[in-house]
């Protein structure tokens, strides 16, 4: 924090920073895996920081959690078994469980403390944790996927921290190979892929690794997220089969969203010119 009143996340390698005015520090601890901080802010509700990086705020998390879940769920023909790797704040889990067709959603976060703090400071994100279809595991997602049996999941959502520390191995070819091995025939994987403006090389490397691992199709989608570097975030989908949007099911969805709908889905899938060139 650069003063007693502001939290600033400096994305040093990109020469950018984002600040929020804070009113109170609510919690700070060093867990077995990472440094965790929770602040109350003046205008964004509560804010969770892991290892100095902004993770989630009360006010704007809906962009991220909805876009990490619903596009992929409506791009799969019939997703029944979903794994969330990371996602300890439970916001993605809540969105996934809005889909009645999902029979089982396993959240695998390495750090139980993130979830315990979310239960206190982001309780609205944890409101589906007691759903009988939810299963919360606290182990390394890399190991979980490596040890999994073939054909044991339809959709893997990688809702992790940045590719440093415990999340580093979640962005590599070996991990993607392990994902392919346990995904069902039409299975797909979606992973947060940072900012296309600031981290284009990371997305290029990630998509290369997905391709080299054996995923024939990749698609990056874009959405606003003002708390993260550049305010413009992305997720990348890797799939075994061609993606086909269930637009009618989306238009007739029987649950509420704050951001996501059919038009947002189509807009998010549109590829900017500079991005198309990078993959030409
Ligand atoms: N929305 C966030 C973002 O993009 O900055 C991600 C939030 S979520 C809280 C990230 C979670 O990933 C953390 O709770 C962290 O413990 C978890 N994580 C990091 N590495 C992991 C691994 N190898 N296995 C499982 N979970 C991991």
């Amino acid at each position: 924090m650069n003063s007693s009143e502001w939290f600033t996340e400096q994305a040093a390698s990109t020469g950018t920073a984002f600040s929020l005015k804070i009113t109170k520090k609510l919690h700070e601890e060093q867990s077995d895996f990472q440094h965790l901080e929770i602040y109350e802010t003046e205008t964004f509700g509560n804010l969770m920081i892991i290892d100095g990086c902004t993770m989630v705020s009360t006010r704007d998390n809906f962009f991220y959690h909805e876009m990490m879940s619903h596009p992929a769920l409506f791009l799969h023909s019939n997703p029944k078994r979903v794994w969330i790797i990371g996602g300890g704040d439970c916001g993605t889990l809540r969105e996934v469980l809005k889909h009645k067709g999902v029979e089982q959603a396993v959240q695998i976060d390495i750090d139980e403390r993130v979830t315990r703090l979310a239960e206190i400071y982001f309780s609205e994100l944890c409101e589906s944790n007691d759903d009988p279809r939810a299963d919360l595991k606290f182990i390394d997602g890399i190991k979980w996927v490596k040890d999994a049996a073939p054909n044991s999941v339809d959709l893997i959502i990688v809702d992790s921290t940045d590719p440093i520390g415990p999340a580093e191995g979640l962005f590599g070819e070996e991990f993607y190979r392990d994902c392919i091995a346990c995904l069902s025939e039409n299975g797909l994987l979606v992973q947060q892929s940072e900012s296309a403006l600031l981290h284009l090389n990371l997305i290029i490397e990630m998509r290369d690794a997905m391709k080299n691992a054996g995923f024939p199709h990749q698609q990056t989608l874009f959405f606003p997220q003002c708390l993260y570097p550049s305010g413009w975030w992305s997720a990348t989908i890797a799939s075994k089969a061609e993606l086909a949007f269930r637009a009618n099911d989306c238009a007739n969805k029987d649950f509420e969203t704050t951001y996501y709908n059919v038009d947002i889905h189509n807009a998010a899938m549109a590829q900017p010119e500079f991005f198309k060139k990078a993959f030409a």
Side-chain angles (χ1 to χ4, degrees):
M1 206 157 18
N2 59 357
S3 80
S4 57
E5 293 182 344
W6 290 84
F7 173 82
T8 296
E9 178 187 346
Q10 290 185 12
S13 63
T14 67
T16 66
F18 179 79
S19 298
L20 276 177
K21 190 155 194 203
I22 57 130
T23 40
K24 216 192 279 180
K25 180 187 275 187
L26 297 170
H27 188 82
E28 181 169 12
E29 70 177 72
Q30 179 65 43
S31 75
D32 288 344
F33 302 96
Q34 40 210 359
H35 190 76
L36 310 174
E37 295 162 87
I38 313 272
Y39 295 98
E40 179 188 83
T41 72
E42 194 170 283
T43 55
F44 271 66
N46 290 346
L47 173 69
M48 180 187 284
I49 307 294
I50 298 185
D51 287 339
C53 297
T54 305
M55 288 294 122
V56 62
S57 89
T58 309
R59 184 169 179 186
D60 82 334
N61 74 79
F62 63 88
F63 289 109
Y64 179 88
H65 289 137
E66 292 185 9
M67 295 307 281
M68 286 296 291
S69 50
H70 303 306
L73 283 155
F74 281 118
L75 282 164
H76 191 286
S77 54
N78 188 16
K80 290 188 169 146
R81 302 162 298 172
V82 180
W83 294 347
I84 300 155
I85 309 290
D89 57 57
C90 304
T92 299
L93 179 67
R94 183 183 70 165
E95 295 305 314
V96 166
L97 289 168
K98 287 180 179 175
H99 291 248
K100 296 211 172 68
V102 169
E103 292 173 357
Q104 185 204 40
V106 187
Q107 178 185 288
I108 306 107
D109 197 295
I110 200 166
D111 193 347
E112 181 168 1
R113 289 300 303 150
V114 174
T115 298
R116 297 301 162 232
L117 291 175
E119 285 166 347
I120 300 168
Y121 298 109
F122 297 90
S123 54
E124 71 284 6
L125 300 184
C126 298
E127 65 191 18
S128 299
N129 289 9
D130 291 332
D131 187 307
R133 297 170 297 159
D135 184 1
L136 275 61
K137 310 253 183 239
F138 299 105
I139 55 163
D140 187 343
I142 299 168
K143 183 169 165 28
W144 171 267
V145 170
K146 193 171 268 316
D147 294 346
N151 187 23
S152 47
V153 62
D154 302 314
L155 167 63
I156 300 176
I157 301 176
V158 186
D159 177 3
S160 74
T161 40
D162 300 340
I164 40 169
E168 200 176 346
L170 294 170
F171 289 76
E173 196 176 312
E174 191 182 338
F175 173 70
Y176 300 136
R177 272 186 211 287
D178 293 339
C179 288
I180 290 181
C182 59
L183 276 167
S184 53
E185 202 183 332
N186 294 327
L188 56 88
L189 172 146
V190 59
Q191 178 163 23
Q192 74 92 359
S193 49
E194 315 236 357
S195 165
L197 184 65
L198 300 178
H199 312 111
L200 184 60
N201 282 342
L202 176 136
I203 302 178
I204 292 172
E205 281 168 25
M206 200 173 147
R207 287 178 49 149
D208 273 351
M210 288 166 161
K211 198 156 134 200
N212 294 340
F215 279 112
H217 309 281
Q218 297 99 41
Q219 164 88 38
T220 299
L221 56 99
F222 304 93
F223 52 95
Q225 192 67 57
C226 66
L227 240 63
Y228 294 164
S230 85
W232 187 49
W233 216 242
S234 72
T236 295
I237 295 176
S239 62
K240 289 187 163 187
E242 290 250 25
L243 298 172
F245 178 34
R246 290 186 290 120
N248 278 341
D249 291 349
C250 179
N252 296 311
K253 64 185 171 57
D254 57 2
F255 55 82
E256 283 193 12
T257 45
T258 307
Y259 181 65
Y260 179 78
N261 58 30
V262 171
D263 292 339
I264 291 292
H265 182 106
N266 289 325
M269 302 292 270
Q271 305 292 286
E273 287 302 314
F274 79 91
F275 197 78
K276 278 198 266 184
K277 268 189 206 140
F279 291 94

